[in-house]
Amino acid sequence: MTKLGGWPNVLGTLLGPSLVATLLALLLLTTHPDSCDGQRESQLRLGKAINIFIRYGYLSISMKVISYNDSETWLFKEPTKNIFKGLDLLKTEEYEVKPGIFNGDFHMEFCDNKRQLFQAYFRDFQIERLDSPWRAYTEGWHTEIAAKKLGIQSKYLERDDYCYVLVRVSRFRDSAKFARVIPPNQVLESDVARRVQGVTIGDTTSAVQFMNKYGTHYINSYVTGNSLYQVFVFNKRNYAHIKEKLKSRGVLALSKVDLYDHFAPWYVEHMGKIRCASGNTTVEAWASRKLRLSYYVFTYSSLLKLHGDGALLRILSELLQNEAILQLDLKSLSVIFKEPAKRAWFEEILDNYLKLWEVNM
């Protein structure tokens, strides 16, 4: 998979049969955490803990990260827990750093297959200790659902005959991150500190019950805002040609005519609809209307019309409000265990559980 920037900015062998049996027996515990704790809330805040196993494969249901059929205004619905105390000195938060400036990013990514397309969309979503974090968002998608979210026809995801180019323009609004790593001696909430003492090395159940009650990861950083994206579907021959051309010369070296020509209806197998990450239909309607190109007998909408058009970018900068999560980094909660041996044991259980879910989804 190749990313090009633009303008500014089996299982039993792995885990052992006894551990697999134990983890499988505990699966129901982690899929119904609210039954154990009625004090959960949903806040996108640094240091908040979540259990990614609640909706592994379906995280886009509880986090607004890709176009979703929901007219409500929300960013984050995943249950969270307070774990740490005194994190304010470690935080760095920015809100509308440069009002009036298009603070964002435009890029296109070349994807040889469907797997790379999903991976490309969720490139800025990290989950520590998970090899393929994008799967936590997409593994539960049926072909029709995936196609609708990506703005393309489902038949172009059903076979391995096609390649894709994902074009996206993002407008960053708010961001937050830890200025430095949370230290192992960070003060914990009193109930969390008590439960940490109850996690016993060698007792798988104690570790899994802790994850069930308090979570598996904490929010290390995030960026919110909104974005427009469009998927272009190519046959393999045309895809290889344009990929090599852009890889060797770069987007900025191509003229508008050249760029439009390689992403036009006679060269592209299928041109996806322009979608908005938040699902904002007003912004999508604006893009469909204002980003139309007329070329010979063809009339179509393309994000590439934004290329070098400052006036359109200024309008888009105002339209893309703080309605979606654009980047999210989740770190393992193992840092709360001060004893190295217990921390390593917790990480082993978490790693095994992650493998189990990856194999069984």
Side-chain angles (χ1 to χ4, degrees), residues 64-304:
K64 187 160 284 189
V65 294
I66 192 168
S67 185
Y68 189 67
N69 186 23
D70 186 348
S71 58
E72 296 180 20
T73 301
W74 60 275
L75 279 175
F76 188 83
K77 290 183 177 180
E78 193 64 26
T80 60
K81 286 285 292 184
N82 284 322
I83 297 293
F84 304 99
K85 287 185 175 180
L87 290 177
D88 289 345
L89 295 178
L90 302 178
K91 296 178 181 179
T92 299
E93 297 176 309
E94 298 179 346
Y95 304 97
E96 280 298 312
V97 184
K98 299 176 181 177
I101 303 297
F102 191 88
N103 178 31
D105 175 56
F106 172 92
H107 68 262
M108 58 174 61
E109 290 202 49
F110 286 77
C111 311
D112 298 349
N113 49 50
K114 178 176 70 174
R115 177 185 62 79
Q116 289 190 359
L117 177 59
F118 291 172
Q119 183 179 2
Y121 189 91
F122 289 98
R123 179 166 309 287
D124 294 323
F125 292 79
Q126 301 300 319
I127 302 176
E128 188 176 26
R129 311 194 75 81
L130 192 59
D131 293 334
S132 304
W134 55 272
R135 295 182 63 183
Y137 295 87
T138 65
E139 201 70 1
W141 289 357
H142 296 298
T143 301
E144 293 77 12
I145 293 175
K148 185 175 182 180
K149 289 180 178 295
L150 293 168
I152 60 178
Q153 295 177 18
S154 59
K155 67 179 181 180
Y156 295 107
L157 292 176
E158 292 170 349
R159 303 197 310 270
D160 295 328
D161 300 337
Y162 304 106
C163 302
Y164 315 88
V165 175
L166 172 66
V167 178
R168 176 162 46 187
V169 56
S170 301
R171 171 64 160 95
F172 305 145
R173 291 287 177 181
D174 297 344
S175 66
K177 65 181 179 179
F178 284 114
R180 58 183 186 275
V181 176
I182 295 178
N185 62 348
Q186 186 67 37
V187 178
L188 304 176
E189 294 287 344
S190 56
D191 61 324
V192 178
R194 286 194 298 270
R195 287 299 290 261
V196 164
Q197 298 305 314
V199 176
T200 305
I201 295 175
D203 182 359
T204 302
T205 301
S206 67
V208 175
Q209 287 180 338
F210 181 89
M211 295 180 200
N212 176 50
K213 185 172 180 63
Y214 293 105
T216 59
H217 293 75
Y218 68 88
I219 298 170
N220 184 59
S221 69
Y222 64 83
V223 175
T224 59
N226 213 342
S227 69
L228 289 178
Y229 60 93
Q230 187 174 22
V231 176
F232 295 83
V233 184
F234 290 84
N235 62 45
K236 293 188 176 182
R237 181 177 59 83
N238 286 353
Y239 172 81
H241 175 72
I242 184 62
K243 180 180 179 180
E244 181 58 34
K245 188 169 185 178
L246 286 176
K247 187 177 180 181
S248 60
R249 297 177 57 185
V251 178
L252 296 177
L254 296 181
S255 67
K256 272 192 176 182
V257 174
D258 221 8
L259 191 61
Y260 290 171
D261 192 47
H262 285 88
F263 287 86
W266 58 85
Y267 198 81
V268 175
E269 192 78 18
H270 172 64
M271 188 175 296
K273 296 178 180 178
I274 298 176
R275 305 305 305 265
C276 181
S278 68
N280 188 318
T281 55
T282 300
V283 177
E284 290 180 349
W286 176 89
S288 178
R289 186 176 67 255
K290 293 296 185 179
L291 302 183
R292 294 188 73 78
L293 293 171
S294 295
Y295 216 55
Y296 296 115
V297 297
F298 299 96
T299 300
Y300 56 96
S301 298
S302 173
L303 273 182
L304 295 176

